[in-house]
Amino acid sequence: MNGKYYITTAIAYASGKPHIGNMYEIVLSDFIARFRRRQGLDVFFQTGTDEHGEKVETKAAAAGVTPKQFVDKVAGEIKGLWDLMNISYDKFIRTTDADHEAQVAEMFDKMLEQGDIYKGSYKGWYCTPCESFWTESQLVDGKCPDCGREVKLSEEEAYFFRMSAYADRLMKYYDEHPDFILPLSRKNEMVNNFLKPGLQDLCVSRSTFSWGVPVKSDPKHVVYVWLDALTNYITGLGYDCRGNCGEKFGKYWPADVHIVGKDIVRFHTIYWPIFLMSLGVPLPKQVFGHPWLLQDGGKMSKSKGNVLYADDLASVFGVDAVRYFLLSAVPYDNDGLVSWELVNETVNGELANVYGNLVNRTVAMTNQYLGGTLCNKGVTEAVDDDLKAVVTGVYEKVCAKVDAYRMSDALADIMAVFRRANKYIDETTPWVLARDESKRDRLATVLYNLAESIVIGSSMLACAMPAACGKALAEFGSEVRDYDKLGQFGLLPDGTRVTDKPEILFGRLKIKEVEEKVEEMNKAKAAAAAAPAETAKKEESAPEGTATLIDIAKFKEVSLRVGHILTAEKVEKADKLLKFTVRVGDEERTIVSGIAKYYTPEEMVGKQVVVVANLKPAKLRGIESQGMLLCAVTADSDVVIVSPEKPVPSGSEVC
Ligand code: MSP
């Protein structure tokens, strides 16, 4: 195969650490990218982080840092996690990259000039976590139809995109490209739920917060986070709506596929194509909306505390085992499940018992019976035909599955090779052949056939488990075989030496041992969290999902005091911020807090609050904030000040 292939993932919100469900998409895309490269395509694989929006602004203010400081830290962690999981991306884009931001402002401007965007005012139900406005009729039981959380009635002056003007063209594109949206069920959902009832114009600016790309001609508005985020797919290639788009854009656009989760198919198959039509840019070839990976026993949710992370799982099972699990656990269009037990079952049942065991037995027998040298002596029997048919037919099958995004089925096909090979060992009983000198050549042929099956299967499995399969191949003096040769049997050269120091590729663990390892891991994390200075610094603005157990000494490092609010006022040009003078014992401190949406200055004056008194000062909108007020943040993003249960002297310690 030759030609180019551009594949993208959704860009992860930089509001916190991505969980194992988010990681599924990245590993899925990585598998495809690796597979296409092996097929000979010139692949560009882009992923990254989505960094603007109200949620980040709120979290940064709550952490006492600027939004930029906040996203720099989180984006670094996300990239680190992708690297740990061996993701072979060609570009990691951040929506705070200067070239992306500049281009977003230009694109908005161009759409405005063309009349695709116009100014109006918006009244509707706003879901803060999803950053989406909804009409009354779109709500489900009065709640956000996407996430089920509380919404609030809001009105704002805003810019709108004339979606309706493009509805017919979009429908035509769907009709002419029947595979544009996969699985098909998701396409039907888009047509029936959104296109047929008539597309509403989309609000594409916000003025209630400022962490975003300002509209050039009207900077009190920032560009709607989805218009900003979706365009990463073209800005990452150097797209320029006013000038020369450069070589990468010319080469790789249109995208061959956008891999996204089922919840954001609407954004990618309705808004995104329409934005592109407005810009006069060709549409992507395909959008695959994958199902989700859910925590066994209920939805993964940070508030429930049942969130699993890829790095934790990898520290117990290894990176490749986690990658394999993710790919095998999620079917084509139904959600999959994850838990420590399920990963352990997969590692034991498939990786250790089927694959690892086959590799190990074949190497051991080659060393024991043939002095470590493989040679095809060509003494065949009928049973070989079935093995060879399975092995030589697998590449074609796997290609068809990869083309259809049926990755768990592709892995099952590869595993079927190893299962067949294990059965072949039982059928041919090499240990019996070894006892009979006259069967030496038959024995050599059997072990050669096994090694050849392993090399062919491992060459494909390497896209799921690059390191482990690389090791397995090396044990047979091999590397990943050219994919255009995977349909042939017998290419392993005679005289190939197997390793005389085989390694166990995947260890088996009892669930009790897994539990012990998890406990150890949690203890190690708690110890790291309790470590002084350096770790403390690291956690100053710990984003969501990084909370670990700490001991009392660590807690004591934080000085919490009761303060009394003397004055409160709004901060100019910062809708979210209030500035307070707070008396803490004998001192008066200036504290800036991102709670303007939840409290008026008037209702704050006179309140007793809990102040983090030994926080390093931070500048917010040019004002030095000398501490932080403690608030409770509810699951539906309400923010409530924490106060002593009855009045106490100012400066009292909270412990
Ligand atoms: N920032 C947006 C995407 C913008 S793309 C222009 C976003 N970010 S996200 O961090 O919330 O999600 C990133 C991806 O992870 C999305 O495709 C989402 O569907 C996917 N997943 C979120 N939870 C998931 C699971 N539990 N399982 C599988 N994928 C999951 O949406």
Side-chain angles (χ1 to χ4, degrees), residues 188-348:
N188 300 337
E189 211 179 296
M190 294 305 120
V191 173
N192 297 331
N193 299 355
F194 298 101
L195 284 182
K196 281 200 179 143
L199 275 187
Q200 311 256 347
D201 286 356
L202 178 75
C203 179
V204 286
S205 70
R206 296 287 184 267
S207 56
T208 49
F209 62 91
S210 56
W211 179 236
V213 178
V215 170
K216 273 176 90 174
S217 53
D218 195 355
K220 68 176 182 296
H221 292 265
V222 293
V223 175
Y224 173 51
V225 71
W226 273 100
L227 176 52
D228 169 1
L230 287 161
T231 51
N232 91 83
Y233 301 130
I234 50 177
T235 62
L237 295 176
Y239 171 74
D240 179 351
C241 69
R242 305 280 189 193
N244 179 4
C245 294
E247 191 227 340
K248 268 211 186 76
F249 183 77
K251 180 169 176 190
Y252 291 107
W253 190 260
D256 291 81
V257 64
H258 294 310
I259 304 284
V260 301
K262 61 181 183 178
D263 58 321
I264 56 172
V265 169
R266 176 168 61 104
F267 297 95
H268 285 80
T269 59
I270 296 182
Y271 304 150
W272 178 225
I274 289 180
F275 292 149
L276 288 168
M277 285 178 197
S278 164
L279 293 168
V281 170
L283 306 197
K285 294 183 194 162
Q286 209 155 48
V287 174
F288 177 61
H290 61 74
W292 273 22
L293 181 69
L294 304 175
Q295 170 82 21
D296 195 12
K299 195 177 167 187
M300 243 179 283
S301 115
K302 285 179 182 157
S303 51
K304 278 196 207 163
N306 66 348
V307 184
L308 290 174
Y309 296 99
D311 50 348
D312 289 347
L313 286 157
S315 76
V316 172
F317 299 108
V319 166
D320 277 342
V322 176
R323 288 174 57 106
Y324 178 89
F325 171 82
L326 288 173
L327 292 166
S328 65
V330 183
Y332 177 62
D333 59 3
N334 292 315
D335 293 336
L337 292 176
V338 59
S339 67
W340 288 101
E341 290 80 358
L342 288 170
V343 181
N344 194 43
E345 276 168 27
T346 301
V347 174
N348 290 350

Side-chain angles (χ1 to χ4, degrees), residues 128-144:
T128 310
C130 295
E131 307 196 1
S132 293
F133 266 109
W134 302 101
T135 60
E136 184 87 41
S137 64
Q138 286 173 314
L139 301 181
V140 176
D141 299 332
K143 307 237 165 89
C144 171

